[in-house]
């Protein structure tokens, strides 16, 4: 574990300094994503301006939802930046270069890239939190913890779907719609979804652990919910690792020569 | 002479059209994304419109509006990167010495790809909404006028993509321009929420900008028909003339800046 954390930290520093080499690009991508997130709030600003409250959700609640989701997504993509590229790496036979090294391949593959846009998400979410009525030192502390846990749910879930490529061949379409589905459901008031859809959002598309539960914990702290969230984070990561490892046995090398710089 | 000139662009249109139809697998990801959006937003709009109409929109109307704007938004063939690359590498020279207008060549290619996607999206979205809502606030006349308005909207969008692509004559990197442009479509273009929901000052501002004529105007024509078409279509044509004229002039200026080395 200590070795893994060390690897993550070293890769983070290395990736960040590599990206800082092109400062203009770094700024464009990071600031661009912050602007993108601000524009997303435009929709809710107009809608709440027209109807006031939607199923017990007001603008303030949506700001908190956006803060949690963007921070969680940001953490996942900053530290595990290769998450969405897994399918392509497997198809292209580029996994060989990770398999030859002494580090465990999944963690190594995930941390070897950083997403600059996600860094913008992270900054945006942290700043946005202080515009909500929930901003306090204790809640900020909670925000960080629940966002880390939610990011593990998101990462684990995506590992499962990206690893399907080992079993069913090119799963690009499926793998690309998965993060979108979690995010689209998560960035809406959770009270909209009831019945079967709600069950789906707790299981097949775990948006409830990605936005509703973390938001609810910040609003009304509850130890049991925190335990549930931690349990979900562990469960999704473990299943993700198991699916990847058993899928790896089916991996066929393409004899591709890859130079990772 | 004019017919002969038109024929070559129609041929380009035809080739791209048939080519895109061959790769229907490419539509799967887009349909999944589109279906997901329709599904999620149906919950939101049902809650928003539970007490009745807002600004003349009901739940059913809103769902169809959203389907039409998304059909156009997801249909646009993004070519600015390819064009910028042509300019930066000098490959554009291979087009300039051919017996066709580069601008019209790109337009034929863009429109062909965009129309295939738009019709596929409309078909897919309409089937989903018919099956789930059992109601459609559209008539065959609305549909025909809506298609005309959408094609004009896509043409306005073409002028902006061409403008962004052409920026490579002056700027090394142009992705930021595309990013900003897509945000304008998302907001004052009325992608997710109709312009009619905006506060008065923003509504008036959006009316003067070209972006609402790409998404909001065609979607409203599909839903409201002849009256809306008479109101917005001349304004759409006006924007095509203004922005089309501008890119025509800028392209002449830009090509004069072009330096081509042999090799």
């Amino acid at each position: 574990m200590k070795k893994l954390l060390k690897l993550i930290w070293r890769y983070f520093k290395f990736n960040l300094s590599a990206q800082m080499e092109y400062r203009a690009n770094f700024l464009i991508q990071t600031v661009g994503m912050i602007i993108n997130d601000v524009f997303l709030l435009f929709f809710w600003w107009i809608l709440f301006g027209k109807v006031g409250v939607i199923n017990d959700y007001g603008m303030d609640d949506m700001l908190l939802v956006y803060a949690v989701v963007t921070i969680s997504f940001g953490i996942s993509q900053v530290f595990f930046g290769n998450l969405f590229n897994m399918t392509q790496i497997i198809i292209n036979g580029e996994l060989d270069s990770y398999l030859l090294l002494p580090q465990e391949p999944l963690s190594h593959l995930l941390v070897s890239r950083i997403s600059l846009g996600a860094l913008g998400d992270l900054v945006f979410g942290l700043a946005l939190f202080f515009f909500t009525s929930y901003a306090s030192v204790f809640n900020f502390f909670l925000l960080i913890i629940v966002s880390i846990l939610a990011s593990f749910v998101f990462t684990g879930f995506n590992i499962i779907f990206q690893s399907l490529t080992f079993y069913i061949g090119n799963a690009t379409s499926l793998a690309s719609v998965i993060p979108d589905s979690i995010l689209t459901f998560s960035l809406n008031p959770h009270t909209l979804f009831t019945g079967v859809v709600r069950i789906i959002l707790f299981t097949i598309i775990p948006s409830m652990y990605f936005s509703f539960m973390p938001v609810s914990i910040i609003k009304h702290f509850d130890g049991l919910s925190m335990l549930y969230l931690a349990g979900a984070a562990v469960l999704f990561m473990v299943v993700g690792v198991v699916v990847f490892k058993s899928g790896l046995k089916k991996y066929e090398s393409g004899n591709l020569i890859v130079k990772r710089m | 002479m004019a017919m002969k000139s038109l024929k070559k662009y129609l041929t380009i249109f035809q080739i791209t059209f048939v080519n895109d139809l061959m790769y229907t697998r490419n539509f799967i990801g887009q349909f999944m994304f589109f279906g997901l959006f329709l599904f999620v937003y149906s919950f939101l709009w049902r809650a928003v419109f539970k007490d009745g109409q807002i600004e003349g929109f009901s739940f059913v109307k809103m769902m169809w509006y959203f389907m039409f704007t998304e059909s156009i938004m997801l249909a646009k063939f993004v070519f600015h990167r390819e064009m910028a690359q042509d300019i930066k590498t000098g490959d554009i020279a291979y087009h300039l010495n051919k017996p066709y207008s580069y601008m019209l060549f790109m337009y034929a290619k863009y429109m062909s790809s965009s129309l295939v996607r738009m019709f596929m999206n409309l078909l897919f979205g309409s089937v989903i909404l018919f099956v789930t809502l059992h109601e459609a606030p559209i008539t065959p006349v609305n549909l025909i006028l809506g298609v005309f308005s959408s094609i004009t909207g896509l043409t306005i969008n073409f002028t902006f993509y061409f403008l962004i692509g052409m920026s490579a004559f002056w700027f090394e990197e142009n992705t930021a321009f595309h990013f900003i442009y897509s945000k304008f479509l998302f907001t004052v273009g009325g992608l997710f929420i109709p312009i009619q929901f905006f506060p008065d000052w923003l509504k008036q501002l959006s009316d003067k900008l070209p972006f609402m004529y790409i998404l909001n105007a065609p979607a409203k024509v599909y839903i409201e028909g002849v009256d809306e078409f008479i109101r917005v279509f001349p304004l759409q044509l006006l924007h095509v003339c203004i922005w089309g004229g501008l890119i025509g002039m800028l392209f002449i200026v830009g090509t004069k800046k072009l330096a081509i080395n042999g090799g």
Side-chain angles (χ1 to χ4, degrees), chain A residues 21-50:
Chain A
E21 182 71 19
Y22 305 97
R23 271 164 209 264
N25 185 50
F26 177 84
L27 276 175
I28 287 171
Q29 293 215 41
T30 313
V31 176
M33 192 47 77
I34 295 173
I35 296 170
N36 179 59
D37 292 339
V38 172
F39 269 105
L40 286 176
L41 285 175
F42 172 89
F43 168 75
W44 294 104
W45 173 65
I46 297 285
L47 198 56
F48 283 117
K50 209 75 198 168

Side-chain angles (χ1 to χ4, degrees), chain A residues 86 90-91 95 99 104-106 159-169 238-253:
Chain A
M86 280 176 67
I90 296 166
I91 294 169
L95 212 54
L99 295 173
E104 191 278 315
L106 177 62
I159 293 172
I160 298 170
F161 277 87
Q162 297 276 338
S163 302
L164 286 183
T165 302
F166 287 125
Y167 304 88
I168 60 171
V238 168
V239 175
V241 171
V242 169
V243 173
F244 178 85
K245 285 199 168 166
S246 55
L248 199 56
K249 290 173 189 156
K250 295 176 186 288
Y251 176 68
E252 288 170 25
S253 164

Side-chain angles (χ1 to χ4, degrees), chain A residues 104-122:
Chain A
E104 191 278 315
L106 177 62
S107 54
H108 193 184
L109 163 72
L110 290 174
V111 301
S112 58
R113 188 181 165 268
I114 187 172
S115 161
L116 287 180
L119 207 58
D121 281 323
L122 201 55

Side-chain angles (χ1 to χ4, degrees), chain B residues 162-181:
Chain B
F162 199 84
L163 198 61
I164 295 165
M166 225 171 18
S167 65
F169 280 124
W170 296 275
F171 300 94
E172 183 72 19
E173 182 57 53
N174 65 0
T175 38
F177 296 125
H178 179 251
F179 180 78
I180 293 165
Y181 172 66

Side-chain angles (χ1 to χ4, degrees), chain B residues 32 39 70 77 85 98 100 109 128 148 172 207 209:
Chain B
M32 283 165 89
F39 182 69
E70 272 291 340
F77 172 60
Q85 205 55 30
K98 294 224 165 70
Y100 56 65
K109 240 174 94 169
I128 293 223
F148 272 112
E172 183 72 19
D207 267 339
L209 297 171

Side-chain angles (χ1 to χ4, degrees), chain A residues 32 35-36 39-40 42-47 50-51 54-55 173-174 177 180-181 184-185 188 192-193 197, chain B residues 32-33 36-37 39-41 43-45 47-48 50 54-55 179 183 186-187 192-193 197-199 202:
Chain A
I35 296 170
N36 179 59
F39 269 105
L40 286 176
F42 172 89
F43 168 75
W44 294 104
W45 173 65
I46 297 285
L47 198 56
K50 209 75 198 168
V51 295
I54 303 167
N55 281 18
S173 298
L174 191 63
V177 91
D180 286 330
S181 62
T184 312
F185 278 108
N188 275 285
L192 295 175
F193 310 110
V197 179
Chain B
M32 283 165 89
F33 188 67
L36 170 78
F37 261 50
F39 182 69
V40 174
Y41 279 87
F43 287 92
L44 176 67
W45 295 127
V48 169
K50 66 177 180 224
I54 301 170
E55 302 291 345
F179 180 78
K183 295 303 140 201
F186 172 74
T187 51
F192 282 107
I193 198 158
F197 280 43
F198 289 7
L202 193 56

Side-chain angles (χ1 to χ4, degrees), chain A residues 6 19 44 57 67 83 95 119 128-129 131 147 151 156-157 160 176 202 206 216 235:
Chain A
K6 217 168 166 181
Q19 296 292 346
W44 294 104
Y57 263 70
L83 184 63
L95 212 54
L119 207 58
L128 185 65
F129 176 71
F131 286 93
S147 299
S151 75
F157 186 72
I160 298 170
S176 65
F202 268 110
S216 159
L235 181 73

Side-chain angles (χ1 to χ4, degrees), chain B residues 85-139:
Chain B
Q85 205 55 30
D86 277 352
I87 292 171
K88 282 192 259 185
T89 57
D91 282 354
I92 196 166
Y94 295 112
H95 291 284
L96 294 178
N97 63 7
K98 294 224 165 70
Y100 56 65
S101 148
Y102 179 69
M103 209 163 101
L104 291 176
F105 168 80
M106 290 306 275
Y107 180 68
K109 240 174 94 169
Y110 159 87
M111 206 35 122
S112 175
S113 270
S114 302
L115 284 183
V116 174
R117 292 175 211 208
M118 188 182 82
F119 287 126
M120 296 288 261
N121 289 342
L122 283 176
L123 188 70
F124 175 78
S126 302
V127 169
I128 293 223
L129 291 191
F130 266 124
V131 171
T132 52
L133 303 176
H134 313 291
E135 225 182 308
I138 45 169
T139 63

